Amino acid sequence: MEKQSAYRKTSEIVRRYDFNFRKRFGQNFLTDEGVLQQIVSSSHITENDLVIEIGPGIGTLTRYLCEAACQVAAIEIDRDLVKILHETLSDCKNLRIVEGDVLKVNLCGLAAEYGVSDTSGSTASSGGLSHEAAAVSPESGQAFRCRHLKVVANLPYYITTPILMGLFEQHVPAERVTVMVQKEVADRMTARCGSRDYGSLSLAVQYYARPEIVTLVPASSFMPSPKVDSAVVTMQLYKDKPVQAKDEQLLKAIIRAAFGQRRKTLSNALGNAPQIPVTRDQTAKTLTALGLPASARGETLSLQQFAQLADALADLIRA
């Protein structure tokens, strides 16, 4: 299959279809073959895998995925691009193009249609695609059996966190998620405790997965060139989370409060959070009991320490 990875080929498709880039969808097409190959290799895709691609664009990366995987389901929100994909990738027989907003598509149901099981060994459920997505997927009646799920995505800044949290919190049965994001977002996803970039996104990602920056991607690698550089991040999802909190929702609320008022101490940040029923003094005493300074700020606590704080406060709230 001819790959649409060269700048010339991408320009040809854009010109042939008179395609207009839409800023609201964050459309920037990757044209660097080396980066395309790194995305596929870092995703550890095998011939037994289903790959869900989010935001395929004109299908530059999609061809590589189709060559490596058992089946590929590409989710695209732009109807003009869906038409282009159906024509330019018509020779990719293991490709299914799903038109829809990824935030509204039932990814667990989509995985289940291909026989992908979750980490417990049971087939992923949730009833299939939304009506909108199913309506543009005439191949959905075909039976495919894939052993594992990998997710690959090129994510615009404004929607990065909602998509990632949707994948994690809905327990989409993916073994690995590989994303192209703005470099500053990649730095935040992989940041360690105490660093400048460490924050709620770091903890949210690292609660579910082990993130790693694969490569940096200059703006010149895209058409059109964005204003900032990007990075490819791959995340190996945990079968067992690195911490086990007594109250997961409380843990998440504490983390959000801690970094929602980053300059405040944890005692003040949590005391000001109406959804966390503890006082400043109670938080300060709890921190001291855990061997932490009463004046500690959120960026100084590791995920493990946040979990310990959440468990101690959970006991205090129940008392």
Side-chain angles (χ1 to χ4, degrees):
M1 293 186 289
E2 183 182 3
K3 296 188 176 63
Q4 304 173 26
S5 54
Y7 187 92
R8 179 186 58 79
K9 184 64 176 179
T10 304
S11 299
E12 177 187 323
I13 293 175
V14 170
R15 185 170 55 255
R16 184 197 316 163
Y17 290 93
D18 193 25
F19 178 76
N20 294 312
F21 294 89
R22 292 178 172 85
K23 288 186 177 180
R24 66 191 179 98
F25 291 150
Q27 292 171 335
N28 302 95
F29 300 154
L30 180 63
T31 61
D32 188 314
E33 270 194 51
V35 176
L36 292 167
Q37 292 168 352
Q38 282 185 294
I39 291 173
V40 176
S41 62
S42 63
S43 299
H44 297 197
I45 298 169
T46 75
E47 60 184 11
N48 295 315
D49 291 340
L50 164 66
V51 175
I52 293 179
E53 183 186 11
I54 301 171
I58 60 170
T60 310
L61 175 61
T62 312
R63 283 192 175 273
Y64 286 84
L65 299 175
C66 286
E67 289 184 349
C70 172
Q71 298 291 327
V72 176
I75 303 173
E76 176 56 58
I77 192 172
D78 189 328
R79 289 186 175 182
D80 290 339
L81 285 177
V82 168
K83 294 177 182 177
I84 293 173
L85 290 167
H86 275 296
E87 292 186 22
T88 60
L89 299 180
S90 60
D91 58 326
C92 296
K93 303 306 180 184
N94 60 339
L95 171 64
R96 173 176 172 182
I97 300 167
V98 177
E99 181 184 337
D101 181 345
V102 67
L103 295 176
K104 298 178 181 178
V105 173
N106 186 336
L107 298 179
C108 289
L110 177 56
E113 291 184 30
Y114 290 87
V116 176
S117 299
D118 63 22
T119 54
S120 67
S122 60
T123 301
S125 61
S126 292
L129 291 170
S130 66
H131 176 74
E132 176 187 10
V136 294
S137 301
E139 305 89 347
S140 62
Q142 299 180 15
F144 298 111
R145 301 295 296 179
C146 301
R147 292 184 181 178
H148 307 292
L149 170 64
K150 309 290 171 59
V151 176
V152 177
N154 182 5
L155 302 179
Y157 176 77
Y158 74 96
I159 205 170
T160 296
T161 299
I163 289 179
L164 286 178
M165 291 303 101
L167 289 169
F168 295 148
E169 294 178 354
Q170 294 173 30
H171 305 291
V172 175
E175 288 189 346
R176 185 177 290 270
V177 176
T178 304
V179 296
M180 174 85 72
V181 294
Q182 288 191 5
K183 182 182 179 298
E184 66 175 83
V185 178
D187 290 338
R188 288 165 54 201
M189 289 168 62
T190 57
R192 297 302 174 189
C193 176
S195 69
R196 181 189 62 182
D197 296 312
Y198 185 69
S200 56
L201 180 60
S202 317
L203 288 159
V205 169
Q206 293 167 32
Y207 181 66
Y208 292 100
R210 184 184 296 108
E212 174 188 357
I213 294 178
V214 174
T215 188
L216 302 181
V217 187
S220 58
S221 297
F222 297 89
M223 177 189 295
S225 296
K227 296 180 180 179
V228 296
D229 292 336
S230 299
V232 176
V233 180
T234 189
M235 291 163 278
Q236 176 71 47
L237 273 66
Y238 292 119
K239 291 184 178 179
D240 298 307
K241 295 185 180 71
V243 299
Q244 299 295 326
K246 295 178 181 178
D247 186 335
E248 186 175 288
Q249 295 309 309
L250 178 61
L251 170 61
K252 292 177 180 179
I254 288 172
I255 291 173
R256 285 194 297 269
F259 293 98
Q261 303 180 67
R262 193 181 184 101
R263 294 184 179 181
K264 293 184 179 294
T265 64
L266 273 169
S267 298
N268 285 330
L270 271 57
N272 292 336
Q275 70 274 28
I276 304 174
V278 295
T279 66
R280 295 175 178 79
D281 288 343
Q282 287 174 320
T283 301
K285 290 178 181 178
T286 302
L287 287 167
T288 302
L290 294 173
L292 297 168
S295 59
R297 287 178 166 78
E299 63 264 27
T300 65
L301 268 66
S302 66
L303 177 59
Q304 181 67 43
Q305 289 170 324
F306 267 110
Q308 292 172 347
L309 175 62
D311 285 351
L313 292 180
D315 291 340
L316 185 64
I317 292 168
R318 293 193 193 100

